[in-house]
Amino acid sequence: MARPHRLHSQEIERIPENLYRDPVDFILADHYRQRTVCDILESLQRPSSDGHAALAAEVLRYLEHELPHHVRDEEAGLFPRLKRRCPTGEDIRTILGILSEEHDKDAHLLPSLIDELRTIVRTGQPEQADRFARLVTVFVESLRRHLAWEDATVLRLARQWLTQDDLSEFGHEMAERRGAAYPD
């Protein structure tokens, strides 16, 4: 007998601030959180009267306040450093271009998804269940594909080619972007 899927007790964990010292690990930890967001979004498509508002609020908080920092970390911090450091044979410019395009596509999709999540927070149900299901499907498929590329390729190259100075500067930028102190 299969265990019931219990996302009602799942929450999107905070990332320890000491990971600013290793920004690649910070991004990897945030990718784990994004997978949790995908799981919760999929669970919100199923009819339920229990816990949907709280789960939607958790995802909404992440999408509105934390995802923009993550995208900025990559676009302003990680991607430019990789372009400078990686040898041309790695074809990193093409990969990063594709990932930047995906960031843009997701940014256009997010306002509609956020509107539906706000409705779920207020009422426990999306305003238009079919529309919400389509938005979730497109967003989740895109995000999971994006995370797979980044984890398998981009973060591997970052570990290989970024210098300790690059990582330190990057970690300081990430902490500053979030209004956090860089750990000593």
Side-chain angles (χ1 to χ4, degrees):
M1 182 169 166
R3 285 189 329 194
H5 197 57
R6 292 188 168 226
L7 283 173
H8 294 292
S9 63
Q10 187 170 4
E11 61 183 53
I12 302 166
E13 297 177 15
R14 298 262 180 229
I15 298 176
E17 289 184 356
N18 67 343
L19 281 184
Y20 290 126
R21 280 187 255 134
D22 187 345
V24 175
D25 277 351
F26 189 103
I27 288 175
L28 188 62
D30 206 25
H31 285 178
Y32 175 81
R33 292 171 359 127
Q34 290 175 26
R35 287 179 178 88
T36 300
V37 165
C38 290
D39 292 343
I40 294 171
L41 282 169
E42 289 178 331
S43 78
L44 291 172
Q45 294 180 82
R46 296 188 289 276
S48 173
S49 58
D50 266 357
H52 269 44
L55 289 170
E58 185 81 4
V59 170
L60 188 59
R61 182 191 58 75
Y62 182 84
L63 294 178
E64 289 183 315
H65 301 288
E66 297 185 50
L67 184 61
H69 290 311
H70 179 89
V71 171
R72 187 80 180 130
D73 291 339
E74 292 178 351
E75 293 289 340
L78 181 61
F79 293 1
R81 284 178 172 89
L82 282 172
K83 287 177 184 175
R84 280 195 311 269
R85 297 288 182 205
C86 286
T88 57
E90 293 288 355
D91 203 23
I92 193 68
R93 291 188 189 304
T94 301
I95 293 167
L96 297 179
I98 291 167
L99 294 173
S100 289
E101 287 175 15
E102 288 181 356
H103 283 156
D104 291 343
K105 288 177 186 174
D106 289 346
H108 289 293
L109 181 66
L110 276 173
S112 298
L113 183 58
I114 285 171
D115 286 345
E116 288 291 342
L117 288 167
R118 287 183 180 142
T119 300
I120 296 170
V121 169
R122 284 192 317 274
T123 68
Q125 300 295 324
E127 186 173 325
Q128 299 175 27
D130 289 345
R131 176 176 180 253
F132 179 67
R134 284 190 305 275
L135 290 168
V136 166
T137 298
V138 170
F139 182 76
V140 165
E141 285 177 2
S142 173
L143 186 55
R144 285 185 174 143
R145 181 180 55 251
H146 186 93
L147 293 172
W149 267 92
E150 285 186 355
D151 289 353
T153 304
V154 175
L155 296 182
R156 176 185 58 80
L157 291 172
R159 288 189 197 286
Q160 182 177 357
W161 294 106
L162 296 185
T163 67
Q164 197 55 47
D165 285 345
D166 290 333
L167 295 171
S168 179
E169 289 172 7
F170 186 26
H172 277 87
E173 290 168 7
M174 292 170 71
E176 184 178 323
R177 187 172 291 119
R178 290 164 177 82
Y182 186 82
D184 294 323

